[in-house]
Amino acid sequence: MKIIGGPSSQMLTSKVARLLNLYPSIVEYSQFPDKEQYLCINDNTLNEEVIIIQNTSTDKDYMSLLQLIDACDNAKKIFVIIPYMGYSRQDKRFKIGEPISARVIAKSINCDQVYTVNIHDKQILDYFNSKSKNLDASKLISDYIKSLNIKDPFLIAPDNGALNIVETISKYLNCEYDVFYKIRLNSNNVNIKSKNLNLNDRSVFLVDDMISTGETIIKSMKILLSNNVKNVYALCVHPVFSNNSILKLYNSGLCDIITTDSLEKIQSKISISPLISEIFIK
Ligand code: R5P
Protein backbone atom coordinates (compact mmCIF):
# COMPACT_ATOMS: atom_id res chain seq x y z
CA MET A 1 0.00 0.00 0.00
CA LYS A 2 1.22 3.52 -0.86
CA ILE A 3 0.21 6.76 0.81
CA ILE A 4 0.50 10.10 -0.94
CA GLY A 5 0.00 13.47 0.70
CA GLY A 6 -1.06 16.32 -1.52
CA PRO A 7 0.47 19.77 -0.91
CA SER A 8 -2.32 20.81 1.49
CA SER A 9 -2.19 17.76 3.74
CA GLN A 10 1.46 16.89 4.28
CA MET A 11 1.53 16.81 8.09
CA LEU A 12 -1.77 14.94 8.27
CA THR A 13 -0.49 12.40 5.73
CA SER A 14 2.68 11.87 7.76
CA LYS A 15 0.59 11.20 10.88
CA VAL A 16 -1.70 8.76 9.06
CA ALA A 17 1.34 7.03 7.51
CA ARG A 18 2.92 6.53 10.95
CA LEU A 19 -0.26 4.96 12.29
CA LEU A 20 -0.24 2.58 9.29
CA ASN A 21 3.52 1.87 9.44
CA LEU A 22 4.02 3.37 6.00
CA TYR A 23 6.32 6.04 4.57
CA PRO A 24 4.55 8.62 2.39
CA SER A 25 5.66 8.65 -1.24
CA ILE A 26 7.58 11.77 -2.15
CA VAL A 27 5.98 14.00 -4.77
CA GLU A 28 7.91 16.71 -6.61
CA TYR A 29 5.94 19.89 -7.23
CA SER A 30 6.89 22.73 -9.54
CA GLN A 31 5.45 25.22 -12.00
CA PHE A 32 5.82 25.67 -15.72
CA PRO A 33 6.86 29.14 -16.93
CA ASP A 34 3.19 29.90 -17.73
CA LYS A 35 2.33 29.06 -14.07
CA GLU A 36 0.58 25.77 -14.83
CA GLN A 37 1.39 23.32 -12.05
CA TYR A 38 3.47 20.23 -12.49
CA LEU A 39 3.88 17.25 -10.19
CA CYS A 40 5.58 13.89 -10.32
CA ILE A 41 5.25 11.01 -7.84
CA ASN A 42 8.70 9.59 -7.18
CA ASP A 43 7.40 6.12 -6.40
CA ASN A 44 5.94 3.18 -8.27
CA THR A 45 2.17 2.89 -7.87
CA LEU A 46 1.77 0.05 -10.40
CA ASN A 47 -0.81 -2.46 -9.07
CA GLU A 48 -0.63 -0.90 -5.59
CA GLU A 49 -3.48 0.20 -3.37
CA VAL A 50 -2.96 3.95 -3.04
CA ILE A 51 -4.28 6.38 -0.44
CA ILE A 52 -4.28 10.02 -1.57
CA ILE A 53 -4.93 12.68 1.08
CA GLN A 54 -5.58 16.18 -0.22
CA ASN A 55 -8.24 18.82 0.35
CA THR A 56 -9.91 21.06 -2.21
CA SER A 57 -9.66 24.25 -0.22
CA THR A 58 -8.27 26.32 -3.10
CA ASP A 59 -8.48 25.86 -6.87
CA LYS A 60 -4.77 25.03 -6.85
CA ASP A 61 -5.35 22.31 -4.22
CA TYR A 62 -8.22 20.92 -6.25
CA MET A 63 -6.05 20.73 -9.37
CA SER A 64 -3.31 18.96 -7.38
CA LEU A 65 -5.82 16.35 -6.26
CA LEU A 66 -6.98 15.70 -9.82
CA GLN A 67 -3.36 15.48 -10.99
CA LEU A 68 -2.45 13.03 -8.22
CA ILE A 69 -5.42 10.79 -9.05
CA ASP A 70 -4.49 10.80 -12.72
CA ALA A 71 -0.84 10.08 -11.98
CA CYS A 72 -1.96 6.91 -10.14
CA ASP A 73 -3.97 5.49 -13.04
CA ASN A 74 -1.83 2.33 -12.99
CA ALA A 75 -2.75 1.59 -9.33
CA LYS A 76 -4.86 -1.40 -8.29
CA LYS A 77 -7.16 0.75 -6.15
CA ILE A 78 -7.27 4.45 -5.34
CA PHE A 79 -8.72 5.72 -2.06
CA VAL A 80 -9.14 9.49 -1.93
CA ILE A 81 -9.43 11.26 1.41
CA ILE A 82 -10.68 14.84 1.19
CA PRO A 83 -10.24 16.16 4.74
CA TYR A 84 -11.87 19.48 3.84
CA MET A 85 -14.01 19.68 0.75
CA GLY A 86 -13.86 23.21 -0.58
CA TYR A 87 -16.95 24.48 -2.43
CA SER A 88 -19.14 22.27 -0.22
CA ARG A 89 -21.25 25.26 0.84
CA GLN A 90 -22.27 25.77 -2.79
CA ASP A 91 -24.31 22.60 -2.63
CA LYS A 92 -27.53 24.06 -4.02
CA ARG A 93 -28.60 26.35 -6.83
CA PHE A 94 -29.60 29.43 -4.84
CA LYS A 95 -30.24 31.47 -8.03
CA ILE A 96 -30.88 30.50 -11.66
CA GLY A 97 -27.64 30.62 -13.59
CA GLU A 98 -25.49 29.36 -10.73
CA PRO A 99 -23.55 26.09 -10.86
CA ILE A 100 -23.80 23.56 -8.03
CA SER A 101 -20.08 23.79 -7.36
CA ALA A 102 -20.01 20.96 -4.81
CA ARG A 103 -21.39 18.72 -7.56
CA VAL A 104 -18.73 19.94 -10.01
CA ILE A 105 -16.00 18.85 -7.60
CA ALA A 106 -17.67 15.57 -6.62
CA LYS A 107 -18.29 14.42 -10.19
CA SER A 108 -14.70 15.03 -11.22
CA ILE A 109 -13.17 12.79 -8.53
CA ASN A 110 -12.89 9.35 -10.08
CA CYS A 111 -11.47 6.66 -7.86
CA ASP A 112 -12.51 3.49 -6.00
CA GLN A 113 -13.65 5.16 -2.78
CA VAL A 114 -13.81 8.75 -1.53
CA TYR A 115 -13.88 9.72 2.14
CA THR A 116 -14.88 13.19 3.29
CA VAL A 117 -14.75 14.48 6.86
CA ASN A 118 -17.76 16.21 8.44
CA ILE A 119 -18.91 17.34 5.04
CA HIS A 120 -21.09 20.47 5.10
CA ASP A 121 -24.16 18.51 4.01
CA LYS A 122 -24.30 14.73 3.65
CA GLN A 123 -26.46 15.06 0.52
CA ILE A 124 -23.28 16.12 -1.32
CA LEU A 125 -22.14 12.48 -1.08
CA ASP A 126 -24.80 11.60 -3.68
CA TYR A 127 -23.04 13.81 -6.23
CA PHE A 128 -19.97 11.54 -6.33
CA ASN A 129 -19.84 8.94 -9.09
CA SER A 130 -17.33 7.01 -6.98
CA LYS A 131 -18.33 5.26 -3.74
CA SER A 132 -18.33 7.85 -0.97
CA LYS A 133 -18.45 7.94 2.80
CA ASN A 134 -18.32 10.71 5.37
CA LEU A 135 -16.12 10.40 8.48
CA ASP A 136 -17.14 12.07 11.74
CA ALA A 137 -14.59 13.78 13.99
CA SER A 138 -17.06 14.22 16.89
CA LYS A 139 -15.47 11.53 19.09
CA LEU A 140 -11.99 13.04 18.66
CA ILE A 141 -13.35 16.49 19.50
CA SER A 142 -15.11 15.22 22.61
CA ASP A 143 -11.91 13.43 23.71
CA TYR A 144 -10.08 16.75 23.41
CA ILE A 145 -12.71 18.59 25.48
CA LYS A 146 -12.49 15.82 28.11
CA SER A 147 -8.70 16.23 28.26
CA LEU A 148 -9.17 19.87 29.35
CA ASN A 149 -10.78 18.66 32.59
CA ILE A 150 -13.33 21.44 32.62
CA LYS A 151 -16.11 21.19 35.17
CA ASP A 152 -19.63 21.17 33.67
CA PRO A 153 -18.84 22.25 30.09
CA PHE A 154 -21.77 23.65 28.11
CA LEU A 155 -21.98 23.29 24.31
CA ILE A 156 -23.55 25.77 21.90
CA ALA A 157 -24.47 25.14 18.28
CA PRO A 158 -24.40 28.61 16.67
CA ASP A 159 -26.98 27.51 14.11
CA ASN A 160 -29.18 24.56 13.20
CA GLY A 161 -26.56 23.16 10.82
CA ALA A 162 -24.21 22.61 13.77
CA LEU A 163 -26.84 20.96 15.93
CA ASN A 164 -26.03 17.45 14.79
CA ILE A 165 -22.33 17.59 15.70
CA VAL A 166 -23.14 19.34 19.01
CA GLU A 167 -25.70 16.69 19.95
CA THR A 168 -23.22 13.90 19.18
CA ILE A 169 -20.44 15.52 21.21
CA SER A 170 -22.78 16.22 24.12
CA LYS A 171 -23.73 12.52 24.20
CA TYR A 172 -20.04 11.53 24.46
CA LEU A 173 -19.48 14.11 27.20
CA ASN A 174 -22.83 13.70 28.87
CA CYS A 175 -23.16 17.49 29.06
CA GLU A 176 -25.80 20.12 28.35
CA TYR A 177 -26.15 22.05 25.09
CA ASP A 178 -28.28 24.64 23.34
CA VAL A 179 -28.68 26.05 19.86
CA PHE A 180 -28.80 29.63 18.53
CA TYR A 181 -30.97 30.86 15.68
CA LYS A 182 -28.89 32.29 12.82
CA ILE A 183 -29.92 34.15 9.70
CA ARG A 184 -27.24 34.55 7.02
CA LEU A 185 -27.49 38.00 5.42
CA ASN A 186 -24.67 37.44 2.91
CA SER A 187 -21.31 35.62 2.73
CA ASN A 188 -19.77 38.09 5.20
CA ASN A 189 -22.63 38.80 7.57
CA VAL A 190 -24.95 36.90 9.86
CA ASN A 191 -27.50 37.80 12.51
CA ILE A 192 -27.89 35.63 15.58
CA LYS A 193 -30.99 36.00 17.72
CA SER A 194 -30.15 36.77 21.30
CA LYS A 195 -31.06 34.21 23.95
CA ASN A 196 -31.13 34.17 27.73
CA LEU A 197 -29.30 31.17 29.11
CA ASN A 198 -28.42 30.43 32.66
CA LEU A 199 -24.66 30.15 32.15
CA ASN A 200 -23.26 32.05 35.13
CA ASP A 201 -19.59 31.17 35.48
CA ARG A 202 -19.80 28.17 33.12
CA SER A 203 -17.20 27.32 30.47
CA VAL A 204 -18.80 27.19 27.03
CA PHE A 205 -17.74 25.51 23.79
CA LEU A 206 -19.09 27.05 20.61
CA VAL A 207 -18.95 24.22 18.09
CA ASP A 208 -19.38 24.50 14.32
CA ASP A 209 -18.39 22.43 11.30
CA MET A 210 -16.24 25.28 9.96
CA ILE A 211 -15.11 28.80 10.71
CA SER A 212 -14.64 31.01 7.67
CA THR A 213 -15.08 34.77 8.19
CA GLY A 214 -15.60 34.11 11.91
CA GLU A 215 -18.87 36.11 11.89
CA THR A 216 -20.98 33.20 13.17
CA ILE A 217 -18.68 32.69 16.17
CA ILE A 218 -18.17 36.41 16.88
CA LYS A 219 -21.92 37.16 16.91
CA SER A 220 -22.57 34.10 19.09
CA MET A 221 -19.80 35.24 21.42
CA LYS A 222 -21.61 38.56 21.99
CA ILE A 223 -24.69 36.70 23.17
CA LEU A 224 -22.64 34.46 25.45
CA LEU A 225 -20.79 37.40 27.02
CA SER A 226 -24.14 39.00 27.90
CA ASN A 227 -24.95 35.72 29.69
CA ASN A 228 -22.00 36.10 32.11
CA VAL A 229 -20.11 33.02 30.98
CA LYS A 230 -16.75 32.22 32.56
CA ASN A 231 -14.90 31.62 29.28
CA VAL A 232 -15.68 30.56 25.74
CA TYR A 233 -13.75 28.22 23.47
CA ALA A 234 -14.48 28.10 19.73
CA LEU A 235 -14.19 24.65 18.31
CA CYS A 236 -14.57 23.56 14.69
CA VAL A 237 -13.65 20.73 12.37
CA HIS A 238 -12.52 22.88 9.43
CA PRO A 239 -10.45 26.02 10.16
CA VAL A 240 -10.95 27.92 6.89
CA PHE A 241 -10.13 31.28 8.56
CA SER A 242 -10.63 33.66 5.64
CA ASN A 243 -9.00 37.11 5.49
CA ASN A 244 -8.44 38.66 8.94
CA SER A 245 -10.83 36.36 10.78
CA ILE A 246 -8.22 35.13 13.28
CA LEU A 247 -7.62 38.65 14.63
CA LYS A 248 -11.35 39.35 14.83
CA LEU A 249 -12.00 36.02 16.55
CA TYR A 250 -9.37 36.56 19.26
CA ASN A 251 -10.50 40.21 19.65
CA SER A 252 -13.99 38.94 20.44
CA GLY A 253 -12.69 37.64 23.75
CA LEU A 254 -12.54 33.93 23.00
CA CYS A 255 -10.40 32.00 25.42
CA ASP A 256 -9.04 29.75 22.66
CA ILE A 257 -9.77 28.41 19.18
CA ILE A 258 -9.40 24.68 18.71
CA THR A 259 -9.71 22.86 15.40
CA THR A 260 -8.81 19.64 13.67
CA ASP A 261 -6.06 19.31 11.07
CA SER A 262 -8.46 18.82 8.14
CA LEU A 263 -6.83 22.11 7.19
CA GLU A 264 -3.39 22.51 8.72
CA LYS A 265 -3.35 25.60 10.93
CA ILE A 266 -1.63 26.51 14.21
CA GLN A 267 -5.01 25.98 15.92
CA SER A 268 -5.22 22.37 14.59
CA LYS A 269 -4.73 20.71 17.97
CA ILE A 270 -6.94 17.71 17.21
CA SER A 271 -5.61 15.33 14.59
CA ILE A 272 -8.06 13.39 12.45
CA SER A 273 -5.28 10.92 11.57
CA PRO A 274 -6.75 8.12 13.77
CA LEU A 275 -10.10 8.51 11.99
CA ILE A 276 -8.42 8.05 8.60
CA SER A 277 -5.95 5.34 9.55
CA GLU A 278 -8.60 3.11 11.11
CA ILE A 279 -10.24 2.68 7.67
CA PHE A 280 -7.15 0.81 6.50
CA ILE A 281 -6.38 -1.22 9.62
CA LYS A 282 -7.89 -4.61 8.87
C1 R5P B 1 -22.71 27.45 7.86
O1 R5P B 1 -23.65 26.90 7.40
C2 R5P B 1 -21.55 26.75 8.50
O2 R5P B 1 -21.93 25.69 9.28
C3 R5P B 1 -20.76 27.72 9.33
O3 R5P B 1 -21.59 28.22 10.37
C4 R5P B 1 -20.33 28.87 8.49
O4 R5P B 1 -19.77 28.43 7.30
C5 R5P B 1 -19.34 29.73 9.23
O5 R5P B 1 -19.02 30.79 8.41
P1 R5P B 1 -18.50 32.15 9.00
O6 R5P B 1 -17.31 31.84 9.86
O7 R5P B 1 -18.12 32.94 7.76
O8 R5P B 1 -19.62 32.78 9.75
Side-chain angles (χ1 to χ4, degrees), residues 89 120 159 182 184 208-216:
R89 284 177 295 172
H120 184 61
D159 59 30
K182 174 173 105 178
R184 180 161 288 286
D208 209 345
D209 64 336
M210 69 177 85
I211 301 176
S212 176
T213 63
E215 268 295 293
T216 302

Side-chain angles (χ1 to χ4, degrees), residues 154-158 166 180 204-208 211 216-222 224 232-236 254 258:
F154 192 94
L155 306 186
I156 294 281
V166 163
F180 286 164
V204 175
F205 291 84
L206 260 169
V207 187
D208 209 345
I211 301 176
T216 302
I217 295 293
I218 292 163
K219 294 272 166 66
S220 304
M221 183 64 187
K222 283 197 176 133
L224 290 171
V232 182
Y233 298 79
L235 235 148
C236 74
L254 283 168
I258 301 151

Side-chain angles (χ1 to χ4, degrees), residues 150-158 166 175-180 193-207 219-233:
I150 287 172
K151 191 174 164 267
D152 261 352
F154 192 94
L155 306 186
I156 294 281
V166 163
C175 72
E176 294 176 287
Y177 67 91
D178 211 324
V179 57
F180 286 164
K193 202 165 166 242
S194 99
K195 195 163 193 174
N196 283 328
L197 298 160
N198 192 9
L199 292 175
N200 265 352
D201 233 20
R202 297 273 295 268
S203 291
V204 175
F205 291 84
L206 260 169
V207 187
K219 294 272 166 66
S220 304
M221 183 64 187
K222 283 197 176 133
I223 298 168
L224 290 171
L225 287 177
S226 67
N227 275 280
N228 299 320
V229 292
K230 183 174 174 191
N231 41 36
V232 182
Y233 298 79

Side-chain angles (χ1 to χ4, degrees), residues 22-254:
L22 295 170
Y23 284 92
S25 304
I26 298 299
V27 182
E28 302 297 340
Y29 298 96
S30 64
Q31 251 187 3
F32 287 104
D34 58 5
K35 304 278 189 283
E36 287 176 358
Q37 27 177 14
Y38 167 88
L39 62 78
C40 181
I41 303 166
N42 288 346
D43 205 347
N44 190 358
T45 55
L46 181 68
N47 292 330
E48 293 277 355
E49 294 199 333
V50 178
I51 307 168
I52 299 172
I53 306 180
Q54 166 72 353
N55 66 53
T56 61
S57 174
T58 64
D59 297 351
K60 209 167 163 354
D61 288 329
Y62 170 56
M63 183 59 184
S64 302
L65 176 57
L66 296 183
Q67 287 176 310
L68 286 170
I69 295 171
D70 194 72
C72 294
D73 65 354
N74 59 358
K76 185 170 147 201
K77 265 191 170 175
I78 304 176
F79 302 95
V80 170
I81 321 286
I82 310 176
Y84 169 69
M85 184 170 161
Y87 289 95
S88 60
R89 284 177 295 172
Q90 293 178 43
D91 57 347
K92 289 176 197 65
R93 182 166 285 134
F94 297 95
K95 208 168 101 188
I96 292 175
E98 289 178 351
I100 301 175
S101 303
R103 182 173 66 183
V104 175
I105 303 260
K107 284 202 178 302
S108 65
I109 310 246
N110 293 311
C111 63
D112 293 276
Q113 171 91 50
V114 184
Y115 292 92
T116 56
V117 180
N118 291 88
I119 194 156
H120 184 61
D121 189 326
K122 282 201 190 142
Q123 285 180 4
I124 297 170
L125 297 179
D126 297 336
Y127 292 142
F128 286 95
N129 292 325
S130 312
K131 279 201 285 176
S132 58
K133 193 173 173 196
N134 187 51
L135 307 173
D136 182 9
S138 301
K139 173 75 171 62
L140 295 169
I141 293 175
S142 54
D143 287 346
Y144 185 88
I145 298 178
K146 253 185 214 161
S147 76
L148 296 175
N149 277 323
I150 287 172
K151 191 174 164 267
D152 261 352
F154 192 94
L155 306 186
I156 294 281
D159 59 30
N160 254 312
L163 190 54
N164 202 269
I165 188 165
V166 163
E167 277 176 339
T168 312
I169 297 171
S170 78
K171 273 187 198 136
Y172 284 123
L173 295 174
N174 194 18
C175 72
E176 294 176 287
Y177 67 91
D178 211 324
V179 57
F180 286 164
Y181 179 69
K182 174 173 105 178
I183 296 171
R184 180 161 288 286
L185 306 173
N186 53 47
S187 345
N188 288 298
N189 277 301
V190 299
N191 258 345
I192 301 207
K193 202 165 166 242
S194 99
K195 195 163 193 174
N196 283 328
L197 298 160
N198 192 9
L199 292 175
N200 265 352
D201 233 20
R202 297 273 295 268
S203 291
V204 175
F205 291 84
L206 260 169
V207 187
D208 209 345
D209 64 336
M210 69 177 85
I211 301 176
S212 176
T213 63
E215 268 295 293
T216 302
I217 295 293
I218 292 163
K219 294 272 166 66
S220 304
M221 183 64 187
K222 283 197 176 133
I223 298 168
L224 290 171
L225 287 177
S226 67
N227 275 280
N228 299 320
V229 292
K230 183 174 174 191
N231 41 36
V232 182
Y233 298 79
L235 235 148
C236 74
V237 180
H238 308 298
V240 178
F241 297 155
S242 2
N243 303 323
N244 51 5
S245 57
I246 284 288
L247 291 176
K248 290 182 181 166
L249 282 158
Y250 279 104
N251 279 357
S252 75
L254 283 168

